[in-house]
Each structure stands twice: as structure tokens, then as C-alpha cells.
Short mmCIF file of all heavy atoms in Angstrom, two decimals:
data_model
loop_
_atom_site.label_atom_id
_atom_site.label_comp_id
_atom_site.label_asym_id
_atom_site.label_seq_id
_atom_site.Cartn_x
_atom_site.Cartn_y
_atom_site.Cartn_z
N MET A 1 10.34 0.64 -8.89
CA MET A 1 9.36 1.34 -8.06
C MET A 1 8.13 1.71 -8.88
O MET A 1 8.24 2.13 -10.02
CB MET A 1 10.02 2.61 -7.50
CG MET A 1 9.09 3.35 -6.59
SD MET A 1 9.97 4.03 -5.19
CE MET A 1 9.56 5.74 -5.35
N ILE A 2 7.00 1.52 -8.29
CA ILE A 2 5.77 1.83 -9.00
C ILE A 2 5.30 3.24 -8.68
O ILE A 2 5.67 3.81 -7.67
CB ILE A 2 4.65 0.83 -8.64
CG1 ILE A 2 4.37 0.89 -7.14
CG2 ILE A 2 5.02 -0.56 -9.08
CD1 ILE A 2 3.06 0.28 -6.77
N SER A 3 4.50 3.78 -9.52
CA SER A 3 3.92 5.08 -9.23
C SER A 3 2.58 4.89 -8.53
O SER A 3 1.82 3.98 -8.86
CB SER A 3 3.72 5.88 -10.51
OG SER A 3 2.81 5.22 -11.35
N MET A 4 2.31 5.75 -7.60
CA MET A 4 1.11 5.57 -6.81
C MET A 4 0.01 6.53 -7.23
O MET A 4 0.25 7.69 -7.47
CB MET A 4 1.43 5.80 -5.33
CG MET A 4 2.22 4.66 -4.73
SD MET A 4 2.29 4.83 -2.95
CE MET A 4 3.49 6.12 -2.81
N LYS A 5 -1.18 6.00 -7.26
CA LYS A 5 -2.34 6.86 -7.48
C LYS A 5 -2.99 7.12 -6.14
O LYS A 5 -3.29 6.20 -5.40
CB LYS A 5 -3.35 6.16 -8.40
CG LYS A 5 -2.95 6.16 -9.85
CD LYS A 5 -4.02 5.43 -10.66
CE LYS A 5 -3.52 5.19 -12.08
NZ LYS A 5 -4.39 4.23 -12.77
N GLU A 6 -3.17 8.35 -5.84
CA GLU A 6 -3.87 8.73 -4.61
C GLU A 6 -3.23 8.12 -3.36
O GLU A 6 -3.91 7.75 -2.43
CB GLU A 6 -5.34 8.33 -4.70
CG GLU A 6 -6.05 9.07 -5.82
CD GLU A 6 -7.43 8.47 -6.08
OE1 GLU A 6 -7.78 7.48 -5.44
OE2 GLU A 6 -8.13 9.03 -6.92
N GLN A 7 -1.91 7.98 -3.39
CA GLN A 7 -1.18 7.52 -2.21
C GLN A 7 -1.70 6.19 -1.68
O GLN A 7 -1.89 6.01 -0.49
CB GLN A 7 -1.25 8.57 -1.10
CG GLN A 7 -0.75 9.93 -1.52
CD GLN A 7 0.75 9.95 -1.74
OE1 GLN A 7 1.48 9.17 -1.17
NE2 GLN A 7 1.21 10.85 -2.59
N CYS A 8 -1.92 5.27 -2.58
CA CYS A 8 -2.45 3.97 -2.16
C CYS A 8 -1.79 2.86 -2.95
O CYS A 8 -1.67 2.93 -4.17
CB CYS A 8 -3.96 3.96 -2.38
SG CYS A 8 -4.69 2.34 -2.14
N ILE A 9 -1.31 1.82 -2.25
CA ILE A 9 -0.75 0.65 -2.92
C ILE A 9 -1.51 -0.58 -2.46
O ILE A 9 -1.64 -0.83 -1.27
CB ILE A 9 0.74 0.46 -2.58
CG1 ILE A 9 1.56 1.69 -2.98
CG2 ILE A 9 1.29 -0.78 -3.27
CD1 ILE A 9 3.03 1.57 -2.61
N CYS A 10 -2.00 -1.35 -3.42
CA CYS A 10 -2.62 -2.62 -3.07
C CYS A 10 -1.60 -3.72 -3.29
O CYS A 10 -0.83 -3.69 -4.24
CB CYS A 10 -3.85 -2.87 -3.96
SG CYS A 10 -5.20 -1.74 -3.59
N CYS A 11 -1.57 -4.70 -2.41
CA CYS A 11 -0.58 -5.76 -2.54
C CYS A 11 -1.11 -7.07 -1.97
O CYS A 11 -1.98 -7.08 -1.10
CB CYS A 11 0.71 -5.38 -1.82
SG CYS A 11 0.48 -5.07 -0.07
N CYS A 12 -0.55 -8.17 -2.47
CA CYS A 12 -0.87 -9.47 -1.91
C CYS A 12 0.01 -9.71 -0.69
O CYS A 12 0.90 -8.91 -0.39
CB CYS A 12 -0.66 -10.57 -2.96
SG CYS A 12 1.08 -10.81 -3.41
N GLU A 13 -0.19 -10.82 -0.01
CA GLU A 13 0.56 -11.11 1.20
C GLU A 13 2.07 -11.14 0.93
O GLU A 13 2.88 -10.67 1.70
CB GLU A 13 0.10 -12.46 1.76
CG GLU A 13 0.44 -12.66 3.22
CD GLU A 13 -0.80 -13.01 4.04
OE1 GLU A 13 -1.75 -13.57 3.47
OE2 GLU A 13 -0.81 -12.72 5.23
N GLU A 14 2.40 -11.70 -0.21
CA GLU A 14 3.80 -11.90 -0.56
C GLU A 14 4.55 -10.59 -0.79
O GLU A 14 5.75 -10.49 -0.56
CB GLU A 14 3.86 -12.75 -1.84
CG GLU A 14 5.22 -13.30 -2.17
CD GLU A 14 5.17 -14.12 -3.45
OE1 GLU A 14 4.14 -14.79 -3.66
OE2 GLU A 14 6.12 -14.05 -4.21
N HIS A 15 3.85 -9.59 -1.27
CA HIS A 15 4.50 -8.33 -1.63
C HIS A 15 4.24 -7.19 -0.64
O HIS A 15 4.46 -6.03 -0.95
CB HIS A 15 4.05 -7.92 -3.04
CG HIS A 15 4.59 -8.81 -4.11
ND1 HIS A 15 3.79 -9.67 -4.84
CD2 HIS A 15 5.87 -9.00 -4.53
CE1 HIS A 15 4.57 -10.34 -5.69
NE2 HIS A 15 5.82 -9.96 -5.52
N THR A 16 3.80 -7.54 0.55
CA THR A 16 3.52 -6.51 1.55
C THR A 16 4.79 -5.73 1.92
O THR A 16 4.78 -4.51 1.99
CB THR A 16 2.94 -7.15 2.84
OG1 THR A 16 1.86 -8.00 2.48
CG2 THR A 16 2.42 -6.07 3.77
N ASP A 17 5.90 -6.45 2.10
CA ASP A 17 7.17 -5.80 2.44
C ASP A 17 7.60 -4.83 1.35
O ASP A 17 8.04 -3.71 1.61
CB ASP A 17 8.28 -6.84 2.65
CG ASP A 17 8.06 -7.64 3.92
OD1 ASP A 17 7.22 -7.23 4.74
OD2 ASP A 17 8.73 -8.66 4.09
N MET A 18 7.48 -5.27 0.12
CA MET A 18 7.86 -4.44 -1.02
C MET A 18 6.99 -3.19 -1.09
O MET A 18 7.48 -2.09 -1.36
CB MET A 18 7.71 -5.27 -2.30
CG MET A 18 8.68 -4.90 -3.40
SD MET A 18 8.48 -5.97 -4.83
CE MET A 18 9.38 -7.40 -4.27
N ALA A 19 5.73 -3.37 -0.84
CA ALA A 19 4.81 -2.24 -0.88
C ALA A 19 5.15 -1.23 0.21
O ALA A 19 5.11 -0.02 -0.01
CB ALA A 19 3.37 -2.74 -0.72
N PHE A 20 5.50 -1.74 1.38
CA PHE A 20 5.91 -0.85 2.48
C PHE A 20 7.13 -0.04 2.07
O PHE A 20 7.19 1.18 2.29
CB PHE A 20 6.24 -1.67 3.73
CG PHE A 20 5.12 -1.67 4.74
CD1 PHE A 20 4.20 -2.70 4.75
CD2 PHE A 20 5.01 -0.64 5.67
CE1 PHE A 20 3.15 -2.70 5.68
CE2 PHE A 20 3.97 -0.64 6.60
CZ PHE A 20 3.05 -1.68 6.60
N ASP A 21 8.13 -0.71 1.49
CA ASP A 21 9.34 -0.01 1.06
C ASP A 21 9.04 1.08 0.06
O ASP A 21 9.52 2.21 0.18
CB ASP A 21 10.32 -1.01 0.44
CG ASP A 21 10.98 -1.89 1.49
OD1 ASP A 21 10.86 -1.57 2.68
OD2 ASP A 21 11.61 -2.89 1.11
N ASP A 22 8.24 0.75 -0.93
CA ASP A 22 7.90 1.74 -1.95
C ASP A 22 7.13 2.91 -1.36
O ASP A 22 7.35 4.06 -1.70
CB ASP A 22 7.07 1.08 -3.06
CG ASP A 22 7.96 0.39 -4.07
OD1 ASP A 22 9.20 0.58 -4.01
OD2 ASP A 22 7.43 -0.32 -4.93
N PHE A 23 6.22 2.58 -0.47
CA PHE A 23 5.42 3.63 0.14
C PHE A 23 6.29 4.59 0.94
O PHE A 23 6.18 5.81 0.82
CB PHE A 23 4.35 3.01 1.04
CG PHE A 23 3.29 4.00 1.46
CD1 PHE A 23 2.07 4.04 0.82
CD2 PHE A 23 3.54 4.89 2.49
CE1 PHE A 23 1.10 4.97 1.20
CE2 PHE A 23 2.58 5.82 2.87
CZ PHE A 23 1.36 5.86 2.22
N LEU A 24 7.19 4.02 1.73
CA LEU A 24 8.06 4.85 2.58
C LEU A 24 8.99 5.72 1.73
O LEU A 24 9.22 6.88 2.04
CB LEU A 24 8.88 3.96 3.51
CG LEU A 24 8.08 3.32 4.65
CD1 LEU A 24 8.91 2.25 5.36
CD2 LEU A 24 7.67 4.38 5.66
N LEU A 25 9.52 5.14 0.65
CA LEU A 25 10.40 5.90 -0.24
C LEU A 25 9.65 7.06 -0.88
O LEU A 25 10.17 8.16 -1.01
CB LEU A 25 10.94 4.98 -1.34
CG LEU A 25 12.15 4.13 -0.97
CD1 LEU A 25 12.43 3.13 -2.09
CD2 LEU A 25 13.37 5.00 -0.74
N ASP A 26 8.44 6.79 -1.28
CA ASP A 26 7.69 7.78 -2.05
C ASP A 26 7.09 8.88 -1.18
O ASP A 26 7.18 10.05 -1.49
CB ASP A 26 6.60 7.09 -2.84
CG ASP A 26 6.05 8.00 -3.92
OD1 ASP A 26 6.62 7.99 -5.03
OD2 ASP A 26 5.07 8.71 -3.66
N SER A 27 6.50 8.49 -0.08
CA SER A 27 5.77 9.50 0.70
C SER A 27 6.44 9.84 2.03
O SER A 27 6.00 10.73 2.74
CB SER A 27 4.34 9.03 0.96
OG SER A 27 4.37 7.77 1.58
N GLU A 28 7.53 9.10 2.35
CA GLU A 28 8.29 9.37 3.57
C GLU A 28 7.42 9.43 4.82
O GLU A 28 7.66 10.21 5.72
CB GLU A 28 9.09 10.67 3.41
CG GLU A 28 10.14 10.54 2.31
CD GLU A 28 10.89 11.85 2.10
OE1 GLU A 28 10.30 12.90 2.41
OE2 GLU A 28 12.02 11.80 1.61
N THR A 29 6.42 8.62 4.82
CA THR A 29 5.58 8.51 6.01
C THR A 29 5.08 7.08 6.14
O THR A 29 5.04 6.33 5.16
CB THR A 29 4.37 9.48 5.92
OG1 THR A 29 3.64 9.40 7.14
CG2 THR A 29 3.46 9.13 4.77
N TRP A 30 4.75 6.68 7.34
CA TRP A 30 4.31 5.32 7.58
C TRP A 30 2.87 5.15 7.10
O TRP A 30 2.01 5.94 7.45
CB TRP A 30 4.41 5.00 9.07
CG TRP A 30 4.43 3.55 9.36
CD1 TRP A 30 3.40 2.83 9.91
CD2 TRP A 30 5.49 2.63 9.13
NE1 TRP A 30 3.78 1.51 10.01
CE2 TRP A 30 5.06 1.36 9.54
CE3 TRP A 30 6.77 2.75 8.57
CZ2 TRP A 30 5.85 0.22 9.44
CZ3 TRP A 30 7.56 1.62 8.48
CH2 TRP A 30 7.10 0.38 8.92
N PRO A 31 2.61 4.11 6.30
CA PRO A 31 1.26 3.93 5.76
C PRO A 31 0.29 3.29 6.75
O PRO A 31 0.69 2.65 7.70
CB PRO A 31 1.49 3.00 4.57
CG PRO A 31 2.66 2.19 4.96
CD PRO A 31 3.54 3.09 5.78
N GLU A 32 -0.96 3.49 6.45
CA GLU A 32 -2.00 2.77 7.15
C GLU A 32 -2.24 1.47 6.41
O GLU A 32 -2.43 1.46 5.20
CB GLU A 32 -3.30 3.59 7.12
CG GLU A 32 -3.84 3.94 8.48
CD GLU A 32 -4.99 4.92 8.38
OE1 GLU A 32 -5.94 4.62 7.63
OE2 GLU A 32 -4.94 5.98 9.03
N LEU A 33 -2.21 0.36 7.14
CA LEU A 33 -2.42 -0.93 6.50
C LEU A 33 -3.87 -1.35 6.65
O LEU A 33 -4.34 -1.62 7.75
CB LEU A 33 -1.50 -1.96 7.14
CG LEU A 33 -1.47 -3.35 6.51
CD1 LEU A 33 -0.95 -3.30 5.09
CD2 LEU A 33 -0.61 -4.29 7.34
N ASN A 34 -4.56 -1.38 5.52
CA ASN A 34 -5.97 -1.75 5.55
C ASN A 34 -6.22 -3.02 4.76
O ASN A 34 -5.46 -3.35 3.86
CB ASN A 34 -6.82 -0.62 4.95
CG ASN A 34 -6.72 0.65 5.77
OD1 ASN A 34 -6.82 0.62 6.98
ND2 ASN A 34 -6.52 1.76 5.08
N LYS A 35 -7.27 -3.70 5.08
CA LYS A 35 -7.68 -4.84 4.28
C LYS A 35 -8.09 -4.35 2.89
O LYS A 35 -8.76 -3.33 2.76
CB LYS A 35 -8.88 -5.53 4.93
CG LYS A 35 -8.50 -6.38 6.12
CD LYS A 35 -8.19 -7.80 5.66
CE LYS A 35 -7.85 -8.66 6.88
NZ LYS A 35 -7.43 -10.01 6.46
N ALA A 36 -7.66 -5.07 1.87
CA ALA A 36 -7.99 -4.67 0.51
C ALA A 36 -9.49 -4.83 0.25
O ALA A 36 -10.13 -5.74 0.77
CB ALA A 36 -7.20 -5.51 -0.48
N GLN A 37 -9.99 -3.93 -0.54
CA GLN A 37 -11.38 -4.04 -0.97
C GLN A 37 -11.48 -5.16 -2.01
O GLN A 37 -10.49 -5.53 -2.63
CB GLN A 37 -11.86 -2.72 -1.56
CG GLN A 37 -11.64 -1.53 -0.65
CD GLN A 37 -12.43 -1.63 0.64
OE1 GLN A 37 -13.62 -1.91 0.62
NE2 GLN A 37 -11.76 -1.43 1.76
N ASN A 38 -12.66 -5.67 -2.21
CA ASN A 38 -12.84 -6.68 -3.26
C ASN A 38 -12.44 -6.13 -4.63
O ASN A 38 -12.41 -4.98 -4.82
CB ASN A 38 -14.29 -7.17 -3.29
CG ASN A 38 -15.29 -6.02 -3.15
OD1 ASN A 38 -14.89 -4.85 -3.19
ND2 ASN A 38 -16.55 -6.34 -2.98
N SER A 39 -12.08 -6.95 -5.54
CA SER A 39 -11.69 -6.54 -6.89
C SER A 39 -10.48 -5.62 -6.91
O SER A 39 -10.33 -4.81 -7.80
CB SER A 39 -12.85 -5.89 -7.65
OG SER A 39 -13.02 -4.56 -7.27
N CYS A 40 -9.62 -5.73 -5.93
CA CYS A 40 -8.36 -4.98 -5.92
C CYS A 40 -7.25 -5.99 -6.19
O CYS A 40 -7.21 -7.05 -5.59
CB CYS A 40 -8.17 -4.32 -4.55
SG CYS A 40 -6.94 -3.04 -4.52
N SER A 41 -6.34 -5.66 -7.10
CA SER A 41 -5.27 -6.61 -7.40
C SER A 41 -3.91 -6.05 -6.99
O SER A 41 -3.71 -4.84 -6.94
CB SER A 41 -5.27 -6.96 -8.88
OG SER A 41 -5.12 -5.81 -9.66
N CYS A 42 -2.98 -6.96 -6.73
CA CYS A 42 -1.63 -6.59 -6.29
C CYS A 42 -0.93 -5.74 -7.34
O CYS A 42 -1.02 -6.02 -8.53
CB CYS A 42 -0.83 -7.87 -6.02
SG CYS A 42 0.90 -7.55 -5.59
N SER A 43 -0.23 -4.70 -6.88
CA SER A 43 0.48 -3.81 -7.80
C SER A 43 1.73 -4.45 -8.37
O SER A 43 2.32 -3.94 -9.30
CB SER A 43 0.86 -2.53 -7.07
OG SER A 43 -0.28 -1.89 -6.57
N TYR A 44 2.16 -5.57 -7.82
CA TYR A 44 3.43 -6.18 -8.22
C TYR A 44 3.26 -7.47 -9.01
O TYR A 44 4.10 -7.82 -9.82
CB TYR A 44 4.29 -6.45 -6.99
CG TYR A 44 4.55 -5.20 -6.21
CD1 TYR A 44 3.70 -4.83 -5.18
CD2 TYR A 44 5.62 -4.37 -6.52
CE1 TYR A 44 3.92 -3.66 -4.46
CE2 TYR A 44 5.84 -3.20 -5.83
CZ TYR A 44 4.98 -2.85 -4.79
OH TYR A 44 5.19 -1.70 -4.10
N CYS A 45 2.20 -8.21 -8.76
CA CYS A 45 2.08 -9.50 -9.45
C CYS A 45 0.66 -9.74 -9.99
O CYS A 45 0.40 -10.78 -10.58
CB CYS A 45 2.46 -10.63 -8.50
SG CYS A 45 1.28 -10.89 -7.17
N SER A 46 -0.25 -8.80 -9.80
CA SER A 46 -1.59 -8.88 -10.37
C SER A 46 -2.47 -9.98 -9.78
O SER A 46 -3.54 -10.27 -10.29
CB SER A 46 -1.53 -9.07 -11.90
OG SER A 46 -0.88 -7.97 -12.47
N ARG A 47 -1.99 -10.61 -8.71
CA ARG A 47 -2.89 -11.51 -8.01
C ARG A 47 -3.85 -10.70 -7.16
O ARG A 47 -3.72 -9.48 -7.04
CB ARG A 47 -2.09 -12.46 -7.13
CG ARG A 47 -1.42 -13.57 -7.92
CD ARG A 47 -0.93 -14.67 -7.01
NE ARG A 47 0.01 -14.15 -6.01
CZ ARG A 47 0.77 -14.92 -5.24
NH1 ARG A 47 0.70 -16.23 -5.34
NH2 ARG A 47 1.59 -14.40 -4.37
N GLU A 48 -4.78 -11.39 -6.53
CA GLU A 48 -5.75 -10.68 -5.71
C GLU A 48 -5.04 -10.03 -4.51
O GLU A 48 -4.27 -10.68 -3.81
CB GLU A 48 -6.82 -11.65 -5.21
CG GLU A 48 -8.02 -10.93 -4.64
CD GLU A 48 -9.09 -11.92 -4.19
OE1 GLU A 48 -9.06 -13.08 -4.63
OE2 GLU A 48 -9.95 -11.51 -3.40
N ALA A 49 -5.30 -8.77 -4.29
CA ALA A 49 -4.65 -8.05 -3.19
C ALA A 49 -5.27 -8.44 -1.85
O ALA A 49 -6.47 -8.71 -1.76
CB ALA A 49 -4.77 -6.56 -3.41
N VAL A 50 -4.41 -8.48 -0.83
CA VAL A 50 -4.88 -8.77 0.52
C VAL A 50 -4.92 -7.48 1.34
O VAL A 50 -5.81 -7.26 2.16
CB VAL A 50 -3.96 -9.79 1.20
CG1 VAL A 50 -4.46 -10.11 2.62
CG2 VAL A 50 -3.89 -11.07 0.38
N TYR A 51 -3.94 -6.61 1.07
CA TYR A 51 -3.86 -5.37 1.83
C TYR A 51 -3.81 -4.14 0.92
O TYR A 51 -3.37 -4.23 -0.22
CB TYR A 51 -2.59 -5.35 2.69
CG TYR A 51 -2.52 -6.48 3.69
CD1 TYR A 51 -1.55 -7.46 3.56
CD2 TYR A 51 -3.41 -6.54 4.75
CE1 TYR A 51 -1.48 -8.51 4.47
CE2 TYR A 51 -3.35 -7.58 5.66
CZ TYR A 51 -2.37 -8.56 5.51
OH TYR A 51 -2.30 -9.58 6.41
N CYS A 52 -4.24 -3.04 1.46
CA CYS A 52 -4.07 -1.76 0.80
C CYS A 52 -3.30 -0.84 1.75
O CYS A 52 -3.69 -0.68 2.90
CB CYS A 52 -5.42 -1.12 0.47
SG CYS A 52 -5.97 -1.48 -1.18
N LEU A 53 -2.19 -0.27 1.26
CA LEU A 53 -1.45 0.69 2.05
C LEU A 53 -1.88 2.08 1.65
O LEU A 53 -1.74 2.47 0.50
CB LEU A 53 0.05 0.51 1.82
CG LEU A 53 0.73 -0.59 2.62
CD1 LEU A 53 0.15 -1.95 2.30
CD2 LEU A 53 2.22 -0.58 2.37
N GLU A 54 -2.36 2.82 2.60
CA GLU A 54 -2.85 4.16 2.29
C GLU A 54 -2.19 5.19 3.19
O GLU A 54 -1.79 4.90 4.30
CB GLU A 54 -4.36 4.22 2.48
CG GLU A 54 -5.11 3.36 1.48
CD GLU A 54 -6.59 3.29 1.81
OE1 GLU A 54 -7.19 4.37 1.93
OE2 GLU A 54 -7.12 2.19 1.93
N LYS A 55 -2.10 6.37 2.66
CA LYS A 55 -1.54 7.47 3.45
C LYS A 55 -2.51 7.80 4.58
O LYS A 55 -3.69 8.03 4.35
CB LYS A 55 -1.35 8.69 2.56
CG LYS A 55 -0.47 9.75 3.19
CD LYS A 55 -0.03 10.76 2.15
CE LYS A 55 1.11 11.60 2.68
NZ LYS A 55 1.73 12.40 1.63
N SER A 56 -1.99 7.78 5.79
CA SER A 56 -2.87 8.07 6.92
C SER A 56 -3.19 9.55 6.97
O SER A 56 -2.33 10.40 6.76
CB SER A 56 -2.24 7.63 8.23
OG SER A 56 -0.94 8.15 8.34
N VAL A 57 -4.42 9.84 7.21
CA VAL A 57 -4.88 11.24 7.22
C VAL A 57 -4.64 11.84 8.59
O VAL A 57 -5.02 11.27 9.61
CB VAL A 57 -6.38 11.30 6.88
CG1 VAL A 57 -6.87 12.74 6.89
CG2 VAL A 57 -6.66 10.64 5.55
N LYS A 58 -3.98 12.95 8.57
CA LYS A 58 -3.73 13.63 9.84
C LYS A 58 -4.93 14.49 10.20
O LYS A 58 -5.36 15.34 9.43
CB LYS A 58 -2.48 14.51 9.73
CG LYS A 58 -1.21 13.69 9.86
CD LYS A 58 0.00 14.59 9.76
CE LYS A 58 1.29 13.76 9.74
NZ LYS A 58 2.39 14.50 9.12
N ARG A 59 -5.43 14.26 11.36
CA ARG A 59 -6.55 15.07 11.83
C ARG A 59 -6.05 16.12 12.81
O ARG A 59 -5.40 15.79 13.77
CB ARG A 59 -7.60 14.19 12.48
CG ARG A 59 -8.23 13.21 11.52
CD ARG A 59 -9.23 12.32 12.22
NE ARG A 59 -9.77 11.30 11.32
CZ ARG A 59 -9.17 10.14 11.06
NH1 ARG A 59 -8.04 9.84 11.64
NH2 ARG A 59 -9.72 9.28 10.23
N GLU A 60 -6.36 17.33 12.52
CA GLU A 60 -5.87 18.40 13.39
C GLU A 60 -7.01 19.11 14.08
O GLU A 60 -8.10 19.11 13.60
CB GLU A 60 -5.07 19.40 12.57
CG GLU A 60 -3.78 18.76 12.07
CD GLU A 60 -3.02 19.73 11.16
OE1 GLU A 60 -3.15 20.96 11.33
OE2 GLU A 60 -2.33 19.26 10.27
ZN1 ZN B 101 1.86 -9.63 -5.24
#
């Protein structure tokens, strides 16, 4: 399991499932799946990231 900075995991297409698992284990909440920003690399294999999983902000 990787450690997350600012509740965000970047991942390539191949590691999206793994990123979801880690995110759920760590923050116990469902992540927001966003398109990765340019120059973001996968947290698992260092290839170019396709998605970024971020903690969804609750608006009250
Ligand atoms: Zn990857």
C-alpha cells in the first residue's frame, strides 16, 4: 500500500483498480475519479497517469 499525499492517487489505466482499493482502505470513502493532469505519473508503475483519484469534497 502506498502513502497518499493530500488524499490523491494518480494511476495509469492498468492500475486503476489497485488505486481504488488503496484509496478505499486508506480513507474509507469513495474517491472522485478525475482525468490526470499532464506530467502526472502512475503511483504504481511510473508510467504516465490516466486518472487521478481524489477525495471528494463534501459541500454543506
Ligand atoms: Zn500503473
